[in-house]
Amino acid sequence: MNATRLIAIRHGETAWNVDTRIQGHLDIPLNDTGRWQAQQLARALADEPVAAIYASDLQRAHATAQAVADATGAPLVPEPGLRERSFGALEGRTFAQIETELPEMALRWRKRDPHFAPEGGESLTALRARIQATVHRLAAHHAGGQVVLVAHGGVLDVLYRLATGQELQAPRTWQLTNAAINRLLWTPEGLTLVGWADTQHLDTATRDETTT
């Protein structure tokens, strides 16, 4: 089977990114900076051959993807499988609030316990399984072509780990910048990293939040 080229994008900035507030499955819109980032991203990808654009159905990702769709003419398909990790009871809280109000939960989160799931939320192992299955399905459908995936920080983190063999609990040493361009190659054997965190199209400082 031919390889599929993947362009993986984290959505543009939101007000909650700035506030370090956990978004998870809450449907938070882009802020002004995020909308600008989406337009810059769209210009950067305008001449790329793109078979399809798949985006998380949360509006911060969908709006980012819409800008790329408008620039490339590629069809945009909502894909719930690309949603951010569900953080359940932690959603809506800032990092500082979690540390103060839920210290035991905060500790397990900081240690990247792969089996820890916030009340009503999703574990890292469950997130990895979801993302791996979703990307395999989408990439196999476009074998030999190129697709754009627009998602979230947690999703991009999993993609990097899958492509590089990093364990879920390994400390992160790579960036998850809003609207950066990340490139991977998919084959039935798995993912390979091609390029990561390209921000040349963004000429002002961007934010790199950890889990929102």
Side-chain angles (χ1 to χ4, degrees):
M1 182 182 288
N2 291 332
T4 304
R5 290 169 291 149
L6 305 177
I7 301 175
I9 308 292
R10 183 188 179 196
H11 61 79
E13 184 184 271
T14 72
W16 282 27
N17 289 148
V18 179
D19 292 343
T20 68
R21 193 175 297 276
I22 302 299
Q23 296 173 112
H25 283 192
L26 297 180
D27 204 9
I28 310 304
L30 298 177
N31 63 13
D32 288 343
T33 298
R35 287 187 286 272
W36 175 85
Q37 290 170 334
Q39 292 302 318
Q40 295 298 106
L41 172 69
R43 292 188 184 97
L45 297 180
D47 296 327
E48 294 269 356
V50 177
I53 301 166
Y54 293 94
S56 158
D57 57 345
L58 297 173
Q59 62 176 309
R60 56 192 184 273
H62 193 272
T64 304
Q66 186 64 62
V68 178
D70 292 343
T72 62
L76 172 56
V77 183
E79 176 50 70
L82 292 175
R83 277 191 175 200
E84 179 61 286
R85 177 184 179 185
S86 171
F87 284 94
L90 299 184
E91 293 180 357
R93 288 182 162 97
T94 65
F95 297 166
Q97 286 172 334
I98 294 168
E99 292 284 351
T100 301
E101 298 168 9
L102 302 165
E104 292 183 9
M105 198 175 291
L107 179 62
R108 294 187 70 188
W109 182 28
R110 278 201 314 275
K111 289 189 172 182
R112 297 191 60 84
D113 179 344
H115 305 294
F116 163 63
E119 182 182 349
E122 195 173 17
S123 70
L124 286 173
T125 53
L127 174 67
R128 180 176 61 185
R130 168 165 64 86
I131 298 309
Q132 192 167 24
T134 299
V135 171
H136 179 87
R137 170 171 53 83
L138 299 177
H141 185 64
H142 295 280
Q146 178 168 256
V147 296
V148 175
L149 308 176
V150 184
H152 307 267
V155 176
L156 271 290
D157 180 69
V158 167
L159 291 178
Y160 188 97
R161 292 174 189 274
L162 289 171
T164 60
Q166 300 270 353
E167 295 295 331
L168 286 173
Q169 56 267 55
R172 183 185 300 146
T173 58
W174 52 94
Q175 293 183 320
L176 300 174
T177 309
N178 292 105
I181 295 172
N182 310 284
R183 297 180 186 268
L184 306 104
L185 199 66
W186 175 91
T187 68
E189 288 72 43
L191 292 170
T192 304
L193 191 66
V194 176
W196 198 259
D198 179 359
T199 58
Q200 294 182 61
H201 54 292
L202 305 174
D203 60 8
T204 63
T206 53
R207 299 180 185 275
D208 178 22
E209 307 302 348
T210 55
T211 51
T212 54

